[in-house]
Amino acid sequence: SRKVISKKMSEYLSVISHPDRFRIIEEIGDRELDVNEITKILGIPQSSVSQHLSALRSKDLVVDRREGKHIFYSLRFPWMAGWLLEGLKLLEEAKWELDPQFYEFT
């Protein structure tokens, strides 16, 4: 039913709504990255990256693959990164006032 679907979508959006999780999804895109690579890209502590990946995995948005001691993460649905970036058009079209240094989508 629509009510069940809306609730499920709300749960997914809640998980990805954290700015760092959004960035993780954006950075992974259609490739695999390990925690160290994500930590370098985002510039946040490794423990935070691990917690964010755990939250994303809890909804099966991120999957992992082990290679020796390394664990590589990828998006279960690689198109999701493009979908989120496409959503940024909302900010452009709504002409929301943002700090110019953060308003660089291209």
Side-chain angles (χ1 to χ4, degrees):
S1 77
R2 286 280 229 215
K3 188 174 183 178
V4 172
I5 291 170
S6 295
K7 184 177 188 300
K8 196 54 113 171
M9 187 62 168
S10 176
E11 291 171 8
Y12 280 110
L13 291 173
S14 176
V15 169
I16 62 176
S17 68
H18 190 284
D20 291 334
R21 292 182 198 147
F22 190 99
R23 289 185 60 214
I24 288 171
I25 292 169
E26 177 186 5
E27 292 297 337
I28 291 176
D30 62 356
R31 59 186 173 159
E32 290 184 322
L33 297 174
D34 68 12
V35 173
N36 291 331
E37 292 170 313
I38 297 169
T39 299
K40 287 178 192 173
I41 293 168
L42 268 60
I44 61 174
Q46 186 173 356
S47 60
S48 295
V49 170
S50 294
Q51 289 174 348
H52 291 310
L53 287 168
S54 178
L56 293 167
R57 274 196 327 256
S58 75
K59 292 294 179 192
D60 290 323
L61 297 173
V62 171
V63 294
D64 58 60
R65 179 183 65 81
R66 228 175 244 288
E67 188 175 296
K69 293 183 179 183
H70 289 284
I71 302 173
F72 294 91
Y73 297 90
S74 60
L75 297 178
R76 182 172 181 191
F77 307 105
W79 53 262
M80 188 173 58
W83 177 71
L84 290 176
L85 291 172
E86 185 73 18
L88 292 176
K89 286 184 180 180
L90 171 68
L91 298 177
E92 293 173 334
E93 291 182 17
K95 296 182 182 170
W96 291 358
E97 293 183 19
L98 297 176
D99 185 334
Q101 71 179 358
F102 296 111
Y103 196 62
E104 297 177 14
F105 298 120
T106 55

